[in-house]
Amino acid sequence: MRVLLVSTYDLGRQPFGLASPAAWLQDAGVEVDCADASREKLTDERIAAARLVAFYLPMHTATRLASPLIDRVRRVNPGARLAAYGLYAPLNAAWLREHGVEHVLGPEGELELTTLAREAKVHGSPNPESQRLVPHVDRRLLVIPHRDNLPPLAKYAQLQMPDGSTRVVGSTDSTRGCKHLCRHCPIVPVYKGRFHAIPVEAVLADIRQQVASGAQHVSFGDPDFLNGPTHAQRIVERLAVECPGVTYDATIKIEHLLKHASLLPVFARTGCLFITSAVESIDDTVLQHLAKGHTRADFVAAVGLCRDAGIALAPTFVAFTPWTTLEGYQELLHTLDDLELVEQVAPIQLAIRLLITNNSRLLELPDIQSVITEFDPASLTWPWRHSDRRVDALQQQVMRRVGNNPRASRGEIFEAIRRLSEGTERGDASTHVARSQSESSPHLTLSPQRAVPVLSENWYCCAEPSPEDMRLV
């Protein structure tokens, strides 16, 4: 009995979502093969050898990229049972079943996958009852992820340091779920404000094995590293003692940076190089619609707190929403320059368009209902159009500009985007963008910016570009 676990994309990281269930399956005596299609070729021979093929779907892009692979598995190995797990599996359950996926599991698929494999091993096929969505979250998380049959860390995203050197990056999770209810976040419909911690010893054991394999930096994949602040502090203090010289980064909400500001010096002392925060917007009205729990002033304060602690803040944005205005977009650019954040913002962040998925809380808003069209199975989204066609045109031009400058510096791309926003550069000869507004807008002169450590594949959340745009990051 062989199980094939497949990942199509996980933000340039070695997938925790393959390594963790692989350990559970191996402990149960099940032969398991892990294939990361973003880093290696998945051969027909590997597909044909499996009796159960499970697709890991942690994000929207990964789900779209899985579609042709699911069809290929059905063609190459029609007798194999198909399963899907990860955050986006329950969100797209109906679509997955239409594509022949029999077992749609939750975001934590370890226990369910092990049960399916055991049933197939004993009875020849999984119990049909296992096809239902299983909301149960198992807390026996002391099993250490098995990473030996994944591509080496050197094949994944690297940390690029300001001095030109690079560091090998490992990744792990210290919690699962999230206690917050941001309206646009895909975690919310699945976890509904719940989260739980992975035992400290299990987290450190996973880090130690990656350091032994060459990791010099660890990227914590938690939706919010400070959902459990005491838990996070214990982990980083242990990390600094047990793996001296290993640095790390984490994702933390703006409101948590303010509430737990006393932890920032601890993070700096224990090797935190930068913190990613899903700021999304500097417009308080947009932030209220998204239920982010912070304001523009909070964001500015958080920038100062991180800077005082010696930690770079890397904000991410959903730059284009139904509430975005041309003036508001220009104000975003001016603010990033004023706060000297240009080098800390990946250019793709200035092109991202709000993603509305199945079961999104955004669908509760009348403003959203008024701009969406019919659900699109091809993109797995509810497409929407802005009431001001110039905003949609600008978003398309910015996305093209980002994609056409793969070797340009962040400052150079930022300057090109600024010109587009002011109408002083035409991204499309047939489209006129904000020309009249640029006459009254002050010309932005980019201030000197300090280089910061950046990952070679940029993080973004809840509003991912399509698979065709994956080359942009």
Side-chain angles (χ1 to χ4, degrees):
M1 169 66 189
R2 174 179 289 187
V3 176
L4 173 62
L5 304 178
V6 181
S7 173
T8 55
Y9 183 65
D10 194 15
L11 299 169
R13 302 176 297 206
Q14 192 184 66
F16 181 91
L18 295 192
S20 183
W24 283 64
L25 290 162
Q26 288 191 336
D27 285 356
V30 177
E31 184 181 2
V32 60
D33 182 19
C34 294
D36 185 349
S38 74
R39 291 300 188 274
E40 60 182 333
K41 183 178 181 180
L42 178 57
T43 65
D44 287 350
E45 289 75 17
R46 293 174 74 180
I47 295 173
R51 288 175 59 185
L52 173 64
V53 180
F55 293 88
Y56 172 50
L57 309 177
M59 56 191 297
H60 180 257
T61 299
T63 307
R64 291 190 62 188
L65 291 173
S67 179
L69 271 181
I70 292 171
D71 295 340
R72 181 180 164 204
V73 169
R74 292 175 61 196
R75 183 177 67 253
V76 172
N77 189 352
R81 296 280 180 164
L82 302 188
Y85 66 102
L87 188 65
Y88 272 77
L91 294 180
N92 295 285
W95 177 83
L96 288 165
R97 294 195 191 286
E98 289 173 0
H99 278 69
V101 176
E102 300 161 276
H103 309 282
V104 180
L105 312 178
E108 301 175 36
E110 292 91 343
L111 179 62
E112 295 91 345
L113 283 171
T114 303
T115 301
L116 287 175
R118 281 174 169 163
E119 290 173 351
K121 188 175 182 180
V122 174
H123 303 294
S125 63
N127 188 326
E129 286 296 308
S130 299
Q131 296 185 25
R132 67 185 187 280
L133 283 175
V134 184
H136 172 70
V137 175
D138 194 274
R139 294 177 183 246
R140 293 175 294 146
L141 296 170
L142 286 169
V143 178
I144 310 306
H146 181 77
R147 298 178 178 273
D148 290 350
N149 54 356
L150 284 167
L153 293 175
K155 287 195 171 184
Y156 290 89
Q158 305 292 292
L159 186 68
Q160 299 171 339
M161 301 297 291
D163 63 3
S165 64
T166 60
R167 297 185 185 181
V168 176
V169 177
S171 61
T172 195
D173 294 347
S174 71
T175 60
R176 290 182 166 183
C178 185
K179 66 182 181 183
H180 296 277
L181 300 172
C182 301
R183 187 170 276 120
H184 62 307
C185 181
I187 298 171
V188 174
V190 179
Y191 278 93
K192 302 184 186 303
R194 299 187 301 270
F195 87 102
H196 60 95
I198 299 174
V200 172
E201 186 51 48
V203 176
L204 268 295
D206 189 25
I207 292 174
R208 284 193 295 267
Q209 69 173 341
Q210 293 181 76
V211 171
S213 296
Q216 301 162 299
H217 179 90
V218 176
S219 186
F220 288 100
D222 308 55
D224 193 321
F225 195 51
L226 287 185
N227 270 325
T230 302
H231 181 65
Q233 183 174 355
R234 288 171 179 162
I235 288 171
V236 298
E237 289 182 337
R238 286 274 302 274
L239 171 62
V241 172
E242 297 183 25
C243 304
V246 173
T247 55
Y248 66 91
D249 69 86
T251 299
I252 302 175
K253 282 176 66 68
I254 292 296
E255 64 181 283
H256 282 171
L257 291 173
L258 301 182
K259 182 178 181 180
H260 304 292
S262 61
L263 285 178
L264 291 174
V266 176
F267 290 160
R269 172 174 54 80
T270 54
C272 182
L273 294 183
F274 64 94
I275 291 171
T276 300
S277 191
V279 177
E280 316 301 33
S281 177
I282 61 165
D283 185 317
D284 285 340
T285 299
V286 176
L287 291 170
Q288 288 177 353
H289 284 307
L290 299 181
K292 280 300 299 178
H294 70 257
T295 64
R296 174 197 176 113
D298 292 336
F299 163 52
V300 174
V303 171
L305 289 170
C306 289
R307 190 162 285 158
D308 290 344
I311 300 173
L313 181 66
T316 63
F317 295 96
V318 181
F320 291 90
T321 74
W323 308 283
T324 299
T325 64
L326 295 174
E327 299 94 332
Y329 188 80
Q330 291 180 353
E331 175 62 20
L332 171 62
L333 300 182
H334 279 276
T335 300
L336 294 179
D337 181 51
D338 289 343
L339 294 175
E340 298 182 1
L341 290 174
V342 171
E343 290 295 333
Q344 293 164 227
V345 177
I348 189 66
Q349 295 297 329
L350 302 176
I352 286 177
R353 182 181 177 86
L354 182 67
L355 188 78
I356 306 176
T357 62
N358 260 336
N359 301 304
S360 173
R361 287 187 63 220
L362 287 167
L363 295 169
E364 302 168 1
L365 297 177
D367 285 1
I368 294 296
Q369 289 294 329
S370 68
V371 297
I372 60 173
T373 58
E374 293 296 320
F375 183 78
D376 178 21
S379 66
L380 297 177
T381 65
W382 293 86
W384 59 273
R385 294 190 181 93
H386 199 284
S387 58
D388 183 345
R389 64 180 182 83
R390 297 174 302 168
V391 175
D392 284 341
L394 178 60
Q395 188 272 331
Q396 293 167 8
Q397 291 179 8
V398 173
M399 181 64 82
R400 282 195 295 270
R401 181 64 64 195
V402 172
N404 290 336
N405 291 267
R407 292 184 175 83
S409 70
R410 288 185 171 187
E412 290 169 338
I413 299 176
F414 184 89
E415 179 67 12
I417 292 172
R418 191 270 313 160
R419 289 195 297 269
L420 283 174
S421 75
E422 293 182 352
T424 56
E425 176 178 327
R426 297 170 83 82
D428 186 327
S430 65
T431 305
H432 176 75
V433 178
R435 178 74 63 182
S436 60
Q437 290 176 292
S438 68
E439 296 172 359
S440 59
S441 298
H443 185 79
L444 180 63
T445 301
L446 192 63
S447 62
Q449 305 283 315
R450 182 172 62 93
V452 297
V454 296
L455 291 170
S456 57
E457 291 191 36
N458 298 308
W459 186 94
Y460 45 86
C461 175
C462 305
E464 302 136 32
S466 67
E468 303 94 281
D469 293 319
M470 289 306 303
R471 61 190 177 84
L472 303 184
V473 299

